[in-house]
Amino acid sequence: MTYKDVYSAWRTDPEAFWLAQADLIDWDSAPTRAYFDQGPAGEWFVDTRVNTCRNAVDRHVEAGRGDQIAIIHDSPVTGQIFRLTYTDLRDRVARLAGALRAQRVVTGDRVIVYMPMVPEALIAMLACQRLGAVHSVVFGGFAAHELAVRIDDAQPKAVIAASCGIEPGRVVAYKPLLDRAIEAARHKPDTCVILQRDQLVASMVDGRDVDWHDVQRNVEPADCVPVPGNHPAYILYTSGTTGQPKGVVRPTAGHLVALQWSMDAIYGIKAGDVFWAASDVGWVVGHSYICYAPLIAGATTIVFEGKPVGTPDAGTFWRVIQDHKVKSFFTAPTAIRAVKREDPQGTLIGDYDISSLQALFLAGERADPDTVTWAEEKLGVPVIDHWWQTETGWAVAANPLGLGLLPIRKGSPAVPMPGYDVQVLDEAGQPVPSGTLGPIAVRLPLPPGTLLTLWNAEDRFRKSYLERFCGFYETGDAGYVDDDGYLFIMARTDDVINVAGHRLSTGAMEEVLASHPAVAECAVIGVADPLKGQVPVGFLCLKKGVDATPDGIRDEVIALVRDRIGPVAAFRTALIVDRLPKTRSGKILRATMCSIADGQTYRVPATIEEPAVLEEIGVALQVAGFPISKT
Ligand code: COA
Ligand code: AMP
């Protein structure tokens, strides 16, 4: 079936379409219907009972593929390559689940997972699924404060963490960050299971911390516990407009059905194929396409503990593709830009046999046409941009390789996937003609696998996504559709920025800057960056009579953001200005500041209080080395 057939089959009868896809899942109690008009935005496969771990692991062993490799850990930062078969994986997951159960973790309990790119991270996630416990994985690049915020919101019974992560040139001690986070949090987990890595052995807290291996000794392996279809599979926190992250709740059954469908249809991957998503388990790409989807589909997944460059060089990606015969590869455009910057001619590609590769998939930020063209020319395979979000869990728009590739239009993530009726709207919520820029929304209900709600925050869920356009989910992205139905995603409509493929909140950074005693007011904007896509730039107005040097304050606020949010914020530029540009009603004109910093021509807003302030912002940016624009 072609894309056109599949999309129109969904449009004609969504219920029949999703029930047919559900046949590929092993149910403990099969669906009698697909859609249920309940919850804040509708729910799927509610009347089922099912277990994610059974579908991702056990069923492949039972089907006779126990000897197939499930996970390859390729770790250039430690020099290790390690393979785990589906049988090994089942046994390890069942044992860890048994150990968690012995620690009184039961169905519905939350478990925070704070681990680097090691196979134990996937084992921990799957062990939670086995029990019906709800994991919440926290990215290693966040600081203790961010971890504490998540602990307080998710209220985990247990935490599973590693002693350390490894960044090029430094070992990141996770355990002291975890200890600080638990100390700061109001909620205290009962147990912390600690994986001690050779690179750094962490000290343990008596009565709370248990060693990963010790805790599993002599425990009875746990079986899979079937859960209702709308049981939360996991919570994944993502950036919103404030310092309080949004806990996206993923429903179990829809997640299974949608990811199973996507592996073959979008990525052209079947059982036994090797699939590689070079992301991190802390992000949604890592959840869906390092852990769940490849395993649900019975493929081999790669857990890569390295960087696109510097581990040891810009040929690492091509070496991994060669060594493990990767068929489809998925990464962020920023990673390809990093490789291109180090190896502009793509010379290192020639050192490896990458003939197994059928396509490169890009997501996480807009894939700029230059990067797509470079990768296409150097790799000789289709380079496929696709657009999605933590909230959706799988692609809203893509060029589905498994359904026969459509013509590629650079700069566009192509066309909506089944389940998504994507519309560009005007301020009144009416669809606009093709070619017109506007906020992008998806007609409700969203398809299976998309967020159920926000954890502990249903009101926020409604306000953030459902209220602005009646009957639609508001994506937070703006763009347009061309005459042939190709989508172009151009910008966010909120305070979210995208730094090296990492989604961050400028609002959260502003909260940190404002907490500095010398800062009277501040603004943070995302400024275009040739490598990272965007970088945050802070503007500070100081309190009168502050007794500190501007340089000292700059260093302090930069350190504060690193300490409160984490190194991943990549906050390195703070500019001290006398005033911020505001409307007469006092709203800071962040969009105009962005235009100035990005070198775009801009119009002085009619509502501005003092137009001269824009000049001052321009001067501050120019002094800091940004190529600014004029009105
Ligand atoms: N644990 C601890 N620290 C981390 C971390 C982790 N998991 N991930 C990143 N950091 C740190 C980095 O070490 C760096 O620290 P530094 O300020 O001390 O140098 C800081 O966070 C910023 O990291 P990053 O923005 O990633 O910049 P970089 O210069 O280290 O690397 C790229 C640039 C482009 C190579 C890298 O960002 C990359 O590979 N991006 C792809 C991201 C991706 O796959 N996203 C998923 C969407 S599909
Ligand atoms: P995250 O929730 O971290 O996956 O980030 C989602 C956001 O990243 C989206 O809302 C977009 O703003 C941006 N994004 C992801 N993929 C793309 C893409 N292919 N093109 C443009 N923007 C993208």
Side-chain angles (χ1 to χ4, degrees), residues 284 364-366 385-390 477 489 492 498 503:
V284 68
E365 54 171 328
R366 181 165 183 266
D385 180 16
H386 60 323
W387 167 58
W388 51 298
Q389 318 180 304
T390 306
D477 285 309
I489 312 297
R492 288 286 305 189
N498 203 310
R503 173 169 161 178

Tab-separated table of all heavy atoms in Angstrom, residues 284 364-366 385-390 477 489 492 498 503, ligand 2:
chain	number	residue	atom	x	y	z
A	284	VAL	N	12.603	11.946	24.183
A	284	VAL	CA	11.529	11.118	23.632
A	284	VAL	C	12.047	10.224	22.501
A	284	VAL	O	11.608	9.084	22.347
A	284	VAL	CB	10.328	11.972	23.180
A	284	VAL	CG1	10.670	12.819	21.973
A	284	VAL	CG2	9.124	11.088	22.923
A	364	GLY	N	14.032	16.465	15.575
A	364	GLY	CA	14.448	17.142	16.806
A	364	GLY	C	14.519	18.637	16.605
A	364	GLY	O	14.425	19.409	17.539
A	365	GLU	N	14.703	19.061	15.375
A	365	GLU	CA	14.762	20.477	15.011
A	365	GLU	C	14.605	20.515	13.493
A	365	GLU	O	14.659	19.469	12.832
A	365	GLU	CB	16.117	21.086	15.409
A	365	GLU	CG	17.232	20.272	14.808
A	365	GLU	CD	18.620	20.877	14.944
A	365	GLU	OE1	18.745	22.098	14.947
A	365	GLU	OE2	19.563	20.097	14.990
A	366	ARG	N	14.447	21.710	12.954
A	366	ARG	CA	14.282	21.823	11.512
A	366	ARG	C	15.540	21.327	10.805
A	366	ARG	O	16.657	21.696	11.194
A	366	ARG	CB	14.013	23.281	11.152
A	366	ARG	CG	13.817	23.500	9.689
A	366	ARG	CD	13.192	24.848	9.388
A	366	ARG	NE	12.978	24.944	7.953
A	366	ARG	CZ	13.837	25.497	7.105
A	366	ARG	NH1	14.951	26.029	7.554
A	366	ARG	NH2	13.569	25.524	5.820
A	385	ASP	N	13.601	13.994	6.617
A	385	ASP	CA	13.253	14.835	7.768
A	385	ASP	C	11.884	14.387	8.267
A	385	ASP	O	11.009	14.055	7.469
A	385	ASP	CB	13.200	16.290	7.275
A	385	ASP	CG	12.846	17.278	8.370
A	385	ASP	OD1	12.936	16.915	9.558
A	385	ASP	OD2	12.498	18.427	8.032
A	386	HIS	N	11.707	14.326	9.553
A	386	HIS	CA	10.357	14.091	10.089
A	386	HIS	C	10.168	14.881	11.367
A	386	HIS	O	11.106	15.188	12.077
A	386	HIS	CB	10.015	12.615	10.211
A	386	HIS	CG	10.898	11.779	11.098
A	386	HIS	ND1	12.268	11.954	11.214
A	386	HIS	CD2	10.594	10.722	11.889
A	386	HIS	CE1	12.744	11.043	12.042
A	386	HIS	NE2	11.764	10.284	12.472
A	387	TRP	N	8.899	15.242	11.599
A	387	TRP	CA	8.577	16.210	12.655
A	387	TRP	C	7.712	15.573	13.731
A	387	TRP	O	6.698	14.971	13.423
A	387	TRP	CB	7.820	17.384	12.024
A	387	TRP	CG	7.157	18.316	12.989
A	387	TRP	CD1	7.749	19.018	13.987
A	387	TRP	CD2	5.767	18.652	13.032
A	387	TRP	NE1	6.813	19.780	14.652
A	387	TRP	CE2	5.586	19.568	14.087
A	387	TRP	CE3	4.653	18.268	12.276
A	387	TRP	CZ2	4.348	20.110	14.409
A	387	TRP	CZ3	3.413	18.804	12.599
A	387	TRP	CH2	3.268	19.722	13.653
A	388	TRP	N	8.163	15.702	14.961
A	388	TRP	CA	7.336	15.232	16.074
A	388	TRP	C	7.770	15.878	17.360
A	388	TRP	O	8.656	16.732	17.364
A	388	TRP	CB	7.290	13.721	16.144
A	388	TRP	CG	8.575	12.957	16.118
A	388	TRP	CD1	9.503	12.938	15.110
A	388	TRP	CD2	9.063	12.047	17.116
A	388	TRP	NE1	10.516	12.068	15.426
A	388	TRP	CE2	10.266	11.505	16.642
A	388	TRP	CE3	8.578	11.622	18.342
A	388	TRP	CZ2	11.009	10.587	17.374
A	388	TRP	CZ3	9.305	10.689	19.061
A	388	TRP	CH2	10.510	10.182	18.571
A	389	GLN	N	7.139	15.471	18.456
A	389	GLN	CA	7.349	16.138	19.744
A	389	GLN	C	7.269	15.105	20.853
A	389	GLN	O	6.673	14.044	20.669
A	389	GLN	CB	6.226	17.141	20.015
A	389	GLN	CG	5.796	17.972	18.860
A	389	GLN	CD	4.678	18.934	19.233
A	389	GLN	OE1	3.636	18.516	19.729
A	389	GLN	NE2	4.897	20.216	18.999
A	390	THR	N	7.805	15.475	22.017
A	390	THR	CA	7.662	14.611	23.188
A	390	THR	C	6.194	14.245	23.377
A	390	THR	O	5.858	13.100	23.691
A	390	THR	CB	8.177	15.360	24.442
A	390	THR	OG1	9.509	15.800	24.188
A	390	THR	CG2	8.159	14.469	25.663
A	477	ASP	N	4.089	24.825	17.411
A	477	ASP	CA	4.927	25.139	16.253
A	477	ASP	C	4.114	25.957	15.258
A	477	ASP	O	2.883	25.842	15.211
A	477	ASP	CB	5.404	23.852	15.566
A	477	ASP	CG	6.514	23.171	16.357
A	477	ASP	OD1	7.495	23.848	16.704
A	477	ASP	OD2	6.399	21.971	16.643
A	489	ILE	N	7.835	23.404	8.869
A	489	ILE	CA	7.796	23.831	10.271
A	489	ILE	C	8.847	24.924	10.434
A	489	ILE	O	10.044	24.667	10.238
A	489	ILE	CB	8.142	22.650	11.223
A	489	ILE	CG1	7.352	21.394	10.856
A	489	ILE	CG2	7.947	23.042	12.687
A	489	ILE	CD1	5.861	21.512	10.985
A	492	ARG	N	8.782	28.036	16.756
A	492	ARG	CA	7.901	27.784	17.887
A	492	ARG	C	7.059	29.044	18.124
A	492	ARG	O	7.498	30.164	17.840
A	492	ARG	CB	8.710	27.512	19.161
A	492	ARG	CG	9.411	26.190	19.212
A	492	ARG	CD	8.537	25.003	19.445
A	492	ARG	NE	7.697	25.064	20.617
A	492	ARG	CZ	6.975	24.008	21.063
A	492	ARG	NH1	7.031	22.835	20.448
A	492	ARG	NH2	6.204	24.122	22.121
A	498	ASN	N	15.374	25.344	20.878
A	498	ASN	CA	15.933	24.043	20.557
A	498	ASN	C	17.445	24.179	20.401
A	498	ASN	O	17.921	24.733	19.424
A	498	ASN	CB	15.285	23.588	19.242
A	498	ASN	CG	15.351	22.104	19.115
A	498	ASN	OD1	16.431	21.536	19.297
A	498	ASN	ND2	14.243	21.478	18.818
A	503	ARG	N	15.402	20.276	23.747
A	503	ARG	CA	14.301	21.231	23.930
A	503	ARG	C	14.435	21.899	25.299
A	503	ARG	O	14.467	21.221	26.315
A	503	ARG	CB	12.994	20.451	23.821
A	503	ARG	CG	11.772	21.237	24.140
A	503	ARG	CD	10.560	20.433	23.722
A	503	ARG	NE	9.368	20.892	24.370
A	503	ARG	CZ	8.165	20.380	24.155
A	503	ARG	NH1	8.018	19.383	23.307
A	503	ARG	NH2	7.115	20.842	24.776
B	2	AMP	P1	10.935	17.489	21.573
B	2	AMP	O1	9.675	17.501	22.349
B	2	AMP	O2	12.155	17.618	22.396
B	2	AMP	O3	10.993	16.315	20.631
B	2	AMP	O4	10.923	18.798	20.669
B	2	AMP	C1	9.831	19.006	19.817
B	2	AMP	C2	10.014	20.270	19.058
B	2	AMP	O5	11.218	20.209	18.284
B	2	AMP	C3	8.919	20.485	18.044
B	2	AMP	O6	7.764	21.047	18.611
B	2	AMP	C4	9.601	21.392	17.052
B	2	AMP	O7	9.637	22.706	17.513
B	2	AMP	C5	11.006	20.843	17.023
B	2	AMP	N1	11.139	19.834	15.954
B	2	AMP	C6	11.246	18.507	16.094
B	2	AMP	N2	11.405	17.923	14.892
B	2	AMP	C7	11.380	18.893	13.970
B	2	AMP	C8	11.478	18.929	12.529
B	2	AMP	N3	11.674	17.831	11.825
B	2	AMP	N4	11.405	20.133	11.924
B	2	AMP	C9	11.216	21.268	12.637
B	2	AMP	N5	11.124	21.298	13.991
B	2	AMP	C10	11.211	20.126	14.650
